[in-house]
């Protein structure tokens, strides 16, 4: 998300997800409603303060130091006039003037306290900027690690997350780079969720369950997705609507097919509705037992973590080629003009004027 001056000016109360993965959307929704009702009753006078951290980074709360940082934020709620605190992560794929991380504080009619708290937390977060992101491996190194983990711990599947081929970030989700390397190395007994390919799904639905067909799938959106996979497959399942959970919510996959590469135990879910992978039931809902596989290749940056961590021998984050602009230091932004780390080594050496995106 992005926090803009217009959004702040139009709002009495704002609160964002604190967890990444976003496991707290119901709780944060209730939080906003409770504050709104209190304001309507005249019990509080909410005032918003913000602070621009002048950075952009991946901030997963599934690991330290973000876990402890967010826990401290939660402990501030409802004390000493502090009504709410949020971290706006920012979204590095978007070219907007306000792109970047911010802290948002809502106080009970105490702007000075809110401003000071937002700045203190923002500067603390900036100091953590090089420590927050998870370890990201190349596809080759990620596969090596997966093989080693599988040898050490054969009882659970190893989860390989293709983190930048993530439809949640706006890319197609039809990348084949990691899958192609896994096949080239002769890996078997793994499952993939998902490859976005409405055309391939249409062919599978027409052929019907049990059919063996020559199928080209993936790699259709452009060269950054990799080359399509050509394979003889058996259509294990073809349904009008596949689905998965995301916490208490339900996410549709649209018309969906499950195919198995002939002569292997490699199962691949092909979907029509572009969505990242959230929960293991994306496999079990269509007939794949995820615990029976050696490895699970999924497309998501971190929203999958809460669902897959309990069943995984290890989670391996792989940074493979994708159309996602995953390195903001070199992304050719047109509208982002203010200094932001890592584009600038020390953005605090350069002033930011209100006309260039400073808020609060």
């Amino acid at each position: 998300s992005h926090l803009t001056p217009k959004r702040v000016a139009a709002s009495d109360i704002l609160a964002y997800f604190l967890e990444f993965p976003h496991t707290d959307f119901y709780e944060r929704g209730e939080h906003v409603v409770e504050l709104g009702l209190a304001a309507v009753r005249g019990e509080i006078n909410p005032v918003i303060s913000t602070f621009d951290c002048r950075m952009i980074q991946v901030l997963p709360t599934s690991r330290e130091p973000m876990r402890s940082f967010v826990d401290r934020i939660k402990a501030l709620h409802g004390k000493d006039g502090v009504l709410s605190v949020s971290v706006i992560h920012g979204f590095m794929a978007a070219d907007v003037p306000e792109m970047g991380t911010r802290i948002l504080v809502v106080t009970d009619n105490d702007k000075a306290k809110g401003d000071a708290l937002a700045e203190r937390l923002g500067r603390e977060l900036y100091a953590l900027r090089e420590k927050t992101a998870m370890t990201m491996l190349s596809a080759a190194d990620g596969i090596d690690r997966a093989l080693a983990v599988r040898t050490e711990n054969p009882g659970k599947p190893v989860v390989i997350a293709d983190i930048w081929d993530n439809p949640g970030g706006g890319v197609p989700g039809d990348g084949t780079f990691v899958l192609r390397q896994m096949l080239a190395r002769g890996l078997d007994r793994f499952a993939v969720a998902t490859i976005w390919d409405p055309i391939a799904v249409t062919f599978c639905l027409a052929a019907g369950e049990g059919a063996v067909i020559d199928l080209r799938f993936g790699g259709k959106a452009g060269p950054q997705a990799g080359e399509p996979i050509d394979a003889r497959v058996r259509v294990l399942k073809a349904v009008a609507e596949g689905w998965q959970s995301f916490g208490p919510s339900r996410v549709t996959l649209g018309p969906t097919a499950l195919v198995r590469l002939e002569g292997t135990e490699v199962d691949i879910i092909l979907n029509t509705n572009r969505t990242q992978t959230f929960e293991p039931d994306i496999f079990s809902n269509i007939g794949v037992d995820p615990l029976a596989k050696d490895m699970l290749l999924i497309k998501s940056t971190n929203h999958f973590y809460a669902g897959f961590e309990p069943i995984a021998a290890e989670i391996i984050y792989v940074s493979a080629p994708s159309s996602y602009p995953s390195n903001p230091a070199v992304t050719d932004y047109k509208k982002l003009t203010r200094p932001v780390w890592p584009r600038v080594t020390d953005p605090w050496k350069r002033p930011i004027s209100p006309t260039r995106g400073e808020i609060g």
Side-chain angles (χ1 to χ4, degrees):
S1 66
H2 305 284
L3 189 62
T4 66
K6 187 175 182 180
R7 181 171 293 172
V8 172
S11 303
D12 297 297
I13 297 167
L14 285 169
Y16 287 70
F17 300 130
L18 284 176
E19 299 292 344
F20 179 39
H22 295 333
T23 54
D24 61 339
F25 46 88
Y26 271 80
E27 292 82 357
R28 294 299 274 175
E30 291 174 344
H31 173 66
V32 170
V33 170
E34 289 169 359
L35 291 180
L37 292 175
V40 169
R41 291 191 295 260
E43 298 168 359
I44 59 173
N45 181 19
V47 177
I48 295 175
S49 299
T50 68
F51 183 77
D52 182 357
C53 301
R54 304 190 189 184
M55 59 179 271
I56 185 68
Q57 179 59 293
V58 182
L59 305 173
T61 59
S62 50
R63 66 188 302 275
E64 295 291 353
M66 285 306 297
R67 179 67 270 149
S68 294
F69 186 79
V70 166
D71 287 342
R72 287 195 292 116
I73 284 176
K74 290 180 175 181
L76 297 172
H77 288 168
K79 298 177 182 176
D80 300 322
V82 177
L83 302 175
S84 182
V85 183
S86 298
V87 181
I88 290 81
H89 290 209
F91 184 59
M92 66 179 67
D95 186 6
V96 297
E98 300 84 6
M99 192 276 284
T101 303
R102 286 180 165 84
I103 300 292
L104 183 148
V105 175
V106 183
T107 59
D108 188 4
N109 200 31
D110 196 338
K111 186 72 160 58
K113 175 181 282 189
D115 290 350
L117 178 58
E119 179 169 356
R120 176 170 66 81
L121 292 173
R123 291 188 181 276
E124 288 180 16
L125 185 55
Y126 179 81
L128 299 173
R129 66 195 181 283
E130 295 183 349
K131 303 175 183 178
T132 62
M134 51 277 192
T135 300
M136 305 175 193
L137 303 178
S138 68
D141 289 345
I143 293 169
D144 286 343
R145 177 61 188 164
L147 289 169
V149 172
R150 183 63 188 176
T151 300
E152 298 163 3
N153 188 355
K156 292 183 175 181
V158 182
V159 174
I160 301 175
D162 187 355
I163 60 175
W164 299 126
D165 191 36
N166 173 10
V171 301
D174 68 339
T176 60
F177 281 102
V178 182
L179 173 58
R180 187 174 291 280
Q181 289 198 37
M182 294 175 75
L183 295 175
R185 294 177 64 166
L187 273 62
D188 202 349
R189 285 175 53 84
F190 68 87
V192 182
T194 60
I195 300 288
W196 176 69
D197 195 327
I199 295 174
V201 172
T202 299
F203 290 156
C204 292
L205 286 167
E209 294 179 1
V212 177
I213 60 175
D214 291 323
L215 187 67
R216 169 170 286 188
F217 59 90
K220 290 186 170 67
Q224 292 171 309
E227 293 294 320
I229 302 288
D230 291 311
R232 178 157 291 184
V233 305
R234 181 177 298 274
V235 181
L236 299 183
K237 202 83 171 177
V239 297
E241 183 185 28
W243 65 278
Q244 64 175 323
S245 302
F246 184 30
S249 64
R250 177 175 171 137
V251 180
T252 181
L253 305 180
T256 302
L258 173 68
V259 300
R260 172 170 289 182
L261 304 190
E262 278 287 88
T264 76
E265 293 183 55
V266 176
D267 295 334
I268 300 168
I269 299 173
L270 306 172
N271 61 317
T272 300
N273 183 58
R274 291 168 53 246
T275 177
Q276 64 185 294
T277 307
F278 293 117
E279 304 268 1
D281 67 3
I282 195 170
F283 293 107
S284 57
N285 287 340
I286 202 165
V288 177
D289 179 2
L291 296 177
K293 297 296 184 180
D294 293 344
M295 300 177 192
L296 302 172
L297 173 60
I298 62 174
K299 306 292 186 75
S300 180
T301 304
N302 202 48
H303 284 328
F304 70 90
Y305 186 90
F308 281 87
E309 192 276 335
I311 72 164
E314 185 171 306
I315 290 172
I316 299 169
Y317 296 90
V318 165
S319 179
S322 166
S323 56
Y324 193 98
S326 58
N327 184 357
V330 299
T331 299
D332 186 23
Y333 297 108
K334 304 298 185 184
K335 299 175 183 177
L336 173 66
T337 57
R338 76 188 200 287
V340 172
W341 180 90
R343 299 176 65 75
V344 175
T345 303
D346 185 0
W348 295 98
K349 288 184 177 180
R350 296 168 57 182
I352 301 177
S353 69
T355 58
R356 298 177 66 195
E358 182 75 346
I359 303 174

